[in-house]
Amino acid sequence: MDLGIKGKRAVICASSKGLGFGCAQALAAAGCDLVMNARGQETLEAAAEKIRSEHGVSVEAVAADITTDVGRADVLSVVGSADILVNNAGGPPPGMWHDWDRDDFIAALDANMLSPIAMIKALVPGMMERGWGRVVNITSQSVKAPIPQLGLSNAARTGLTGYVAGTSRQVAGSGVTINNLLPGIHATDRAQALDGPVAEREGITLEEARARRSATIPVGRYGTLEEFGSVCAFLCSQHAGFMVGQNILLDGGATNATI
Ligand code: NAP
């Protein structure tokens, strides 16, 4: 399917690996020119070069921490204006509800709520002026169904979801859509980082921990970066112009809910 976004300029935050990289690959395959971002320069440059050589699109890479004012300013100075924004950042650490203090909450809110809001505020006005734009926020299945040990994530991402619910309706009349993409378990470093402590606690191998978690997913496996990126690219496409303020769950059926 032609997504109708060839030549559009897309910014993908936190995209040297994992889900962000999957989105960057899919948008490049659709013909978008990219600005990619992550903190680690070497991995980011390698990811950007892979996409340039595979898809022949222009890719600028900005090594910066997207959760800080300085990092966002660095990214935005290279971006200038953009047609497509994919918001992403690392997720907060797991823990117990009584462990987290104010600073932990502020860090989670900065990373997973206030940073995407700042990027939206910086780039959506230009999209509205030009009459076309797409924003996809990578959140989590924890917005639909809480993951108890990820209380910081549950809290911060739900806050972003509330902001998007109202804001998306305020900007839709200018041709800009904002939607959230909710990953369930996907085969990334992050998923492995969460499997590690389980394996250690239960005295099993990483493979066994993964097999146990896969068995809780109706599809019977973790999602792939390609599957995730393809849905993101569709949300950024011409075809998704009537989809506004939605929370698209991509979890292999893991969240047991009728709606
Ligand atoms: P990942 O494989 O660990 O990749 C994270 C990417 O983001 C890397 O490129 C990393 O590069 C970059 N990054 C992290 N923190 C950053 C920052 N502060 N500024 C700029 N770049 C940053 O993680 P993932 O699995 O793709 O997860 C992406 C998001 O989806 C996370 O918020 C995660 O909690 C959420 N999520 C993931 C899953 C899953 O199953 N994978 C499920 C639900 C939710 P650097 O480290 O070099 O910066």
Side-chain angles (χ1 to χ4, degrees):
M1 184 194 282
D2 178 1
L3 297 183
I5 50 176
K6 191 171 176 358
K8 298 282 189 196
R9 185 164 170 76
V11 187
I12 306 101
C13 304
S15 55
S16 67
K17 289 190 299 186
L19 303 178
F21 182 69
C23 296
Q25 274 193 310
L27 288 167
C32 295
D33 294 319
L34 309 184
V35 178
M36 293 173 68
N37 152 259
R39 292 163 302 180
Q41 182 139 23
E42 210 174 307
T43 309
L44 176 64
E45 287 295 346
E49 187 46 39
K50 181 173 161 63
I51 290 184
R52 275 184 211 110
S53 65
E54 285 178 5
H55 300 288
V57 296
S58 148
V59 183
E60 291 161 283
V62 190
D65 185 339
I66 202 70
T67 68
T68 65
D69 289 342
V70 173
R72 282 191 300 279
D74 286 351
V75 172
L76 289 167
S77 71
V78 170
V79 169
S81 64
D83 307 300
I84 292 170
L85 166 65
V86 179
N87 275 316
N88 186 31
M96 284 295 286
W97 60 272
H98 46 70
D99 291 340
W100 302 309
D101 59 23
R102 179 181 162 77
D103 288 346
D104 297 316
F105 278 100
I106 296 297
L109 292 172
D110 267 341
N112 300 114
M113 178 182 172
L114 299 177
S115 296
I117 290 174
M119 291 299 286
I120 287 169
K121 286 174 68 180
L123 293 174
V124 165
M127 295 178 190
M128 293 172 75
E129 267 172 42
R130 294 184 296 280
W132 196 94
R134 298 283 184 265
V135 179
V136 173
N137 302 298
I138 299 179
T139 64
S140 171
Q141 66 180 1
S142 69
V143 170
K144 290 263 189 197
I147 302 171
Q149 69 275 22
L150 291 179
L152 293 171
S153 171
N154 299 338
R157 296 185 198 280
T158 308
L160 174 64
T161 304
Y163 173 84
V164 166
T167 303
S168 60
R169 280 145 177 113
Q170 291 179 311
V171 304
S174 300
V176 179
T177 70
I178 312 180
N179 292 287
N180 303 317
L181 193 45
L182 284 55
I185 304 306
H186 286 72
T188 68
D189 287 2
R190 163 83 174 171
Q192 185 139 325
L194 294 174
D195 285 337
V198 173
E200 215 167 287
R201 199 172 55 241
E202 307 280 325
I204 56 177
T205 65
L206 203 54
E207 288 65 37
E208 284 168 331
R210 197 169 302 142
R212 278 192 199 175
R213 196 136 72 119
S214 293
T216 67
I217 303 171
V219 165
R221 61 172 175 83
Y222 290 8
T224 69
L225 307 190
E226 291 73 19
E227 288 168 327
F228 192 84
S230 298
V231 177
C232 176
F234 175 77
L235 290 176
C236 296
S237 75
Q238 297 291 358
H239 310 296
F242 207 54
M243 192 179 281
V244 169
Q246 296 304 296
N247 291 282
I248 308 300
L249 186 59
L250 206 57
D251 70 346
T255 304
N256 192 30
T258 303
I259 295 179

